Amino acid sequence: MAGAHLDSVSAGPGINDNGSGSAAILETVLAVSREGLKPTQHLRFAWWGAEELGILGSRHYVNRLPSTERSKIDAYLNFDMVGSPNPGYFVYDDDRRLEAVFKDWFAAKGVSTEIETEGDGRSDHASFQRVGIPVGGLFTGAGRTKTAAQAQKWGGTAGQAFDRCYHRSCDTTANINDTGLDRNSDAIAHAIWTLGAPS
Ligand code: TRP
Ligand code: ZN
């Protein structure tokens, strides 16, 4: 299962947070459908409401899933902010197998990654983690500042936030780094297909 929150804060349009993750998983859905691909596992996608109000939508969904339904979810992948304008490449480190699928993809593309530490439990994966479902995901950074070492390996601007428009009115379509969104979208499709149609 993969998910992204579709709501945004009332202060702004929320294009990076979280039009980016919402669009990225939608593109995977469309690609699978367009190509007529048949996954061996069922793929399930969710676009959550009310994440910004306290992770309400995903929590409600998980709470009302009977335990037999919960146990059918092998993994939940979360994508919240994957097009930050001054991007970092962060991978959730909550589950080793899921983390490795992403890390290996980035490594093969020559892009170094770091473990996501800005927001433990700060998005919809927390709802799944709480009931023991393995979780993974990607993140390109929010209000934290990019260090000199990070700018050296990833490009962009040291001393500036990964997303200066985080939760602000300027989180518009101008607030997206195309390279970051493109890499993350490909990594997402790769992970979903690797896990959903293992060879
Ligand atoms: N939607 C999250 C929030 O507004 C964005 C976020 C901040 C985040 N830090 C994170 C998401 C770390 C995942 C991981 O709080
Ligand atoms: Zn968000």
Side-chain angles (χ1 to χ4, degrees), residues 36-57:
L37 300 176
K38 298 274 181 271
T40 51
Q41 312 289 306
H42 284 273
L43 304 181
R44 182 179 300 181
F45 295 86
W47 287 264
W48 307 115
E51 188 272 351
E52 300 286 8
L53 302 176
I55 317 185
L56 301 183

Side-chain angles (χ1 to χ4, degrees), residues 93-123:
D93 69 339
D94 305 280
D95 178 272
R96 295 192 96 124
R97 165 173 164 256
L98 302 175
E99 180 186 3
V101 172
F102 289 115
K103 278 175 63 176
D104 293 350
W105 184 90
F106 279 102
K109 303 287 170 186
V111 179
S112 50
T113 55
E114 289 184 16
I115 287 163
E116 191 284 304
T117 58
E118 187 168 355
D120 253 358
R122 272 180 67 184
S123 189

Side-chain angles (χ1 to χ4, degrees), residues 5 7 17-18 51-52 80-81 122-123 166-167:
H5 77 83
D7 66 311
D17 183 11
N18 186 33
E51 188 272 351
E52 300 286 8
D80 184 358
M81 305 181 72
R122 272 180 67 184
S123 189
Y166 174 57
H167 285 184

Side-chain angles (χ1 to χ4, degrees), residues 4 17 40 57 63 65 78 133 145 152 157 181:
D17 183 11
T40 51
N63 282 347
L65 266 189
N78 193 63
I133 295 170
T145 302
Q152 194 139 46
T157 312
L181 180 63

